[in-house]
Amino acid sequence: MDFDRIVNPLMVLFDQDNRINNRPTHITDMIVLTIKSLIPSENYVSTNIDYTRYNEEIKLWKHYRHGENESLMNIFEDFNPHVYWNYKDDSVYQRIMPIILVNNDFSTVKEEVIKNVLFTTGNIETLIEALLLSGILHYQTLDANAMIDRLKEEVINLSQSDFLNKYKKYYRTPIETYRGNFSIDLERSKIQTLNILNLQHSNKFKTLQDCIKTLLDNKEPETIIGKCINAHKKDMNNEQYDFRKYYYQLANYVYKLRKGRIDPKTLKIEKYNLPDIFQLKEGQAFYHSLLNRSKIIRRQETDNNIIVHINTKSGKYTFKKY
């Protein structure tokens, strides 16, 4: 896969989030920390999420976040199974994009996407839609009809027993906490997606429907993921995007990971050094395994909170502790 077909979709993600909201949001945050947690396997031709780092990155994100949703905040405390099963995490489809783009083998893509979705939500519709969107992006070299046939095969071959045997341990809460009949709802969702792939309208899986229309009718996509898939197919001028150089460097980093140009040994953190940022003094320089060499440039304290402004290699962060 050439450079533009890796970089362009990621640039669309960053650009759309910044343009729609006039600033980065939790969606951009999630894309960035997902990219930072990718590491090539030393034994297989794959690039996977290092979940030790991912966990630490998200703990840190809680204090500098540019937004949030209930699924993400449900990770931290007072875990609510109802939120996990029913809420749709709006960062999912965007943050799995680097995982899809960085891997050549679709079996790796599926496994990594499933694990990453289940990290924040067990919502069945979100999970199946994420898998099919992954397939759309992965099979871009096929014509639209052949791609849809592949997607149908993925749905038909999705065995509940095999799926639960492999991925049950990645759910944050036991399947028994699901209110309703998990097996019936999963099969119902599979049937709904097959109907969509047979070009029948549905009130569910709106993002999937948008992408299918884009593929078959060359219509301008309405969803951000549809725009990313469109960008994956086209040669686009990156100059048109208004984004920080840092985002472009991240997209280029994903390209290098896919091409095997980064030694996994340079990415591994053998021992985490995670100083409590809120205990550091103004003007103090320090090393942090996730932020690298950094400096406290301003510190503010009130009766209710501590705000720390930090200068890092990747930019400035504002951390808040309430």
Side-chain angles (χ1 to χ4, degrees), residues 93 96 100 106 110 113 125-139 147-148 150-156 158 189-190 192-194 196-197 205 208 211-212 215 229:
Y93 301 150
I96 64 171
I100 302 163
F106 191 55
K110 286 194 294 184
V113 164
E125 181 177 338
T126 300
L127 179 67
I128 293 180
E129 194 161 39
L131 282 174
L132 294 179
L133 294 173
S134 302
I136 289 175
L137 196 61
H138 183 80
Y139 292 124
M147 181 191 297
I148 288 173
R150 285 285 184 93
L151 298 180
K152 290 177 184 177
E153 290 176 14
E154 291 294 336
V155 176
I156 292 168
L158 181 59
S189 290
K190 288 172 59 178
Q192 288 171 334
T193 53
L194 284 173
I196 290 168
L197 294 171
F205 300 96
L208 176 63
C211 294
I212 295 297
L215 290 170
I229 288 170

Side-chain angles (χ1 to χ4, degrees), residues 54-195:
Y54 202 72
N55 269 297
E56 295 299 338
E57 290 279 3
I58 286 185
K59 289 178 189 175
L60 195 65
W61 167 81
K62 180 183 178 182
H63 296 293
Y64 71 80
R65 65 188 187 273
H66 298 102
E68 62 193 54
N69 65 42
E70 292 197 55
S71 294
L72 292 172
M73 299 309 292
N74 195 40
I75 294 172
F76 297 111
E77 54 198 30
D78 299 325
F79 178 83
N80 186 335
H82 175 77
V83 171
Y84 185 76
W85 289 117
N86 293 284
Y87 284 52
K88 293 182 179 179
D89 178 357
D90 64 353
S91 74
V92 164
Y93 301 150
Q94 287 88 332
R95 75 172 191 251
I96 64 171
M97 189 68 68
I99 298 171
I100 302 163
L101 292 171
V102 81
N103 281 294
N104 291 287
D105 180 61
F106 191 55
S107 62
T108 300
V109 169
K110 286 194 294 184
E111 182 169 337
E112 289 300 309
V113 164
I114 290 169
K115 289 192 291 186
N116 198 257
V117 172
L118 296 180
F119 191 86
T120 60
T121 179
N123 182 267
I124 293 173
E125 181 177 338
T126 300
L127 179 67
I128 293 180
E129 194 161 39
L131 282 174
L132 294 179
L133 294 173
S134 302
I136 289 175
L137 196 61
H138 183 80
Y139 292 124
Q140 281 287 296
T141 55
L142 301 177
D143 67 66
N145 290 315
M147 181 191 297
I148 288 173
D149 286 341
R150 285 285 184 93
L151 298 180
K152 290 177 184 177
E153 290 176 14
E154 291 294 336
V155 176
I156 292 168
N157 293 330
L158 181 59
S159 161
Q160 281 202 43
S161 58
D162 291 345
F163 174 82
L164 290 177
N165 283 337
K166 188 170 185 179
Y167 297 108
K168 191 175 183 179
K169 62 184 177 183
Y170 296 105
Y171 280 88
R172 283 189 171 271
T173 184
I175 300 294
E176 291 72 26
T177 64
Y178 182 85
R179 290 188 178 180
N181 190 309
F182 181 87
S183 296
I184 290 175
D185 288 347
L186 181 58
E187 289 304 315
R188 184 181 291 122
S189 290
K190 288 172 59 178
I191 291 168
Q192 288 171 334
T193 53
L194 284 173
N195 289 339

Side-chain angles (χ1 to χ4, degrees), residues 5-6 101 122 143 160 167 179 181 213 220 244 253 259 271 280 309 314:
R5 292 183 70 189
I6 294 289
L101 292 171
D143 67 66
Q160 281 202 43
Y167 297 108
R179 290 188 178 180
N181 190 309
K213 288 178 183 177
E220 188 63 27
R244 290 172 53 193
Y253 174 73
K259 293 296 184 180
K271 185 177 181 181
L280 302 179
H309 304 268
S314 60

